[in-house]
Amino acid sequence: MNCTKCKTKAVIDLPRHNAAFCQPCFTAYAHDQVAYAIKHARMFGPDDRILVAVSGGKDSLALWDILLKLGYKADALYVDLGIPGYSTKSREKVEQFADRVARPKGAMLHTHQVQEEEGAGIKELSNLVHRPTCATCGTIKRYQFNKTAVEQDYDVMATGHNLDDEASRLLGNVLHWQEEYLDKQSPTLPASVEGFAKKVKPLYRLSERELAAYAVLNRIDYIVEECPMAKGSKMLLYKEALNRLETDSPGTKHRFYFGFLDKQERGATAPQSMADKDQASLHPCAACGQPTTGEICSYCKMMARSRLSSSSARRSS
Ligand code: Q46
Ligand code: ZN
């Protein structure tokens, strides 16, 4: 198998593109896909300051790597969830990457420790507030990323969601006809109101397999294990189902997700109209000032519940 571009020996084949690449041509392909995504979905410009959400996994570290290599001003935020074993290891991967690649290029790594700031690790916190771990985690991560982006004056917040993530999320939203979520499923979500950062997903054109290959070929050391809390999640089930379809019919994921984006582009500009809706219904949280639809935002409500539970636990012991 030879590289489609330069005809030397290929190291990876991409059935959905009917192509194969050697290491340098594959790296160039990945960079081109991200550069195209940034331009096509109007994510950010060369002077914008970007905050990348990093977890220590292949996608977010590859994203940070690609943005820096494309010459963007990209800093990162790591949220330490306090999950025994997993968090220590993932944090090490992020720190190593920051030391080896990002800091020498002048980029900065911010960290947020849930154990210290929210008073308990994510598992304990979810028990205190009687909510599933991933829902608690989602609320905290969304809140802290937005807070850092807004307070530190970043123009945009970037996450490492890839084609597989977006296709499986789309499948979940369609299976349950969650129209509101469908409207919001876009590679670029504008900063709808003051206090909400613009959010983008520059990896939406690259698959999970391509990103794993990018990380390996570019010597990015990442945490291979999934977060232990992800076990049994619906998203993993949808990914498995799409992978079975992809094996039999290469390009299924691509056609499914890109077909949806095409319809979204040709129809109404859904993300923008969502922004208008947001504008009408959002106002500052009475406790912290971040935009919310209620009087108090879900993060502040959750933290109040957690304080209440821990103080009543202290009283009864
Ligand atoms: S990190 Fe957090 Fe995921 Fe772990 S606790 Fe669940 S939501 S599975 S992306
Ligand atoms: Zn609040």
Side-chain angles (χ1 to χ4, degrees):
M1 187 174 63
N2 285 340
C3 174
T4 313
K5 260 179 148 176
C6 73
K7 310 298 173 210
T8 56
K9 195 173 175 328
V11 292
I12 182 168
D13 68 318
L14 304 183
R16 79 183 163 107
H17 290 303
N18 222 346
F21 292 119
C22 66
Q23 198 269 347
C25 291
F26 175 71
T27 297
Y29 154 83
H31 289 186
D32 288 350
Q33 291 295 323
V34 174
Y36 180 87
I38 293 167
K39 203 166 169 220
H40 181 77
R42 297 189 187 92
M43 294 185 178
F44 41 79
D47 296 326
D48 286 333
R49 290 181 68 230
I50 304 149
L51 181 68
V52 183
V54 289
S55 65
K58 63 184 183 322
D59 305 306
S60 56
L61 291 183
L63 173 60
W64 200 9
D65 185 76
I66 296 171
L67 293 181
L68 290 171
K69 284 181 179 157
L70 289 175
Y72 287 104
K73 293 173 198 149
D75 292 342
L77 171 64
Y78 171 77
V79 172
D80 184 333
L81 299 170
I83 299 173
Y86 178 77
S87 292
T88 320
K89 213 168 157 189
S90 61
R91 188 174 181 160
E92 264 170 31
K93 303 288 181 193
V94 172
E95 286 288 354
Q96 278 166 11
F97 180 86
D99 280 342
R100 190 175 66 82
V101 180
R103 290 186 180 116
K105 285 191 155 78
M108 224 167 92
L109 172 67
H110 306 271
T111 51
H112 174 89
Q113 300 218 41
V114 172
Q115 184 85 46
E116 278 175 19
E117 303 291 326
E118 276 82 13
I122 200 74
K123 190 88 193 90
E124 200 191 325
L125 210 57
S126 65
N127 289 337
L128 283 171
V129 299
H130 307 293
R131 284 184 72 199
T133 317
C134 289
T136 311
C137 174
T139 302
I140 291 179
K141 283 199 293 195
R142 268 191 304 279
Y143 183 87
Q144 294 298 348
F145 277 118
N146 191 62
K147 186 167 182 267
T148 305
V150 171
E151 285 181 359
Q152 312 255 346
D153 250 351
Y154 285 96
D155 297 288
V156 59
M157 206 186 102
T159 57
H161 294 97
N162 59 39
L163 174 59
D164 294 56
D165 296 324
E166 293 307 291
S168 51
R169 190 171 155 208
L170 177 61
L171 181 60
N173 287 340
V174 169
L175 287 175
H176 299 100
W177 286 118
Q178 285 171 310
E179 285 180 45
E180 198 194 321
Y181 291 148
L182 278 173
D183 286 348
K184 281 195 170 177
Q185 197 178 350
S186 163
T188 297
L189 274 183
S192 49
V193 288
E194 172 92 16
F196 260 161
K198 178 177 180 179
K199 296 183 188 72
V200 297
K201 298 171 184 171
L203 300 183
Y204 76 94
R205 304 183 62 84
L206 292 170
S207 71
E208 197 145 314
R209 178 172 165 267
E210 288 160 10
L211 284 156
Y214 180 88
V216 172
L217 294 171
N218 286 278
R219 299 189 303 110
I220 297 172
D221 187 18
Y222 62 91
I223 184 159
V224 178
E225 301 96 285
E226 291 271 358
C227 169
M229 307 301 159
K231 216 177 262 167
S233 88
K234 281 276 186 294
M235 275 309 145
L236 289 184
L237 180 68
Y238 300 149
K239 270 190 187 174
E240 266 174 45
L242 286 168
N243 280 340
R244 284 194 56 189
L245 293 169
E246 185 76 22
T247 308
D248 272 4
S249 175
T252 302
K253 279 178 224 172
H254 183 109
R255 283 191 297 277
F256 180 49
Y257 183 56
F258 283 79
F260 165 74
L261 291 182
D262 273 355
K263 281 193 196 315
Q264 204 179 52
E265 272 174 30
R266 271 188 282 122
T269 48
Q272 193 52 54
S273 59
M274 281 309 298
D276 295 341
K277 272 191 221 164
D278 279 357
Q279 211 127 28
S281 58
L282 290 170
H283 50 261
C285 162
C288 73
Q290 275 208 27
T292 178
T293 46
E295 195 199 337
I296 306 281
C297 75
S298 52
Y299 173 85
C300 288
K301 268 192 221 150
M302 198 173 85
M303 292 319 297
R305 215 177 309 149
S306 149
R307 281 192 292 273
L308 206 68
S309 296
S310 39
S311 62
S312 67
R314 271 200 303 275
R315 272 199 304 276
S316 60
S317 67

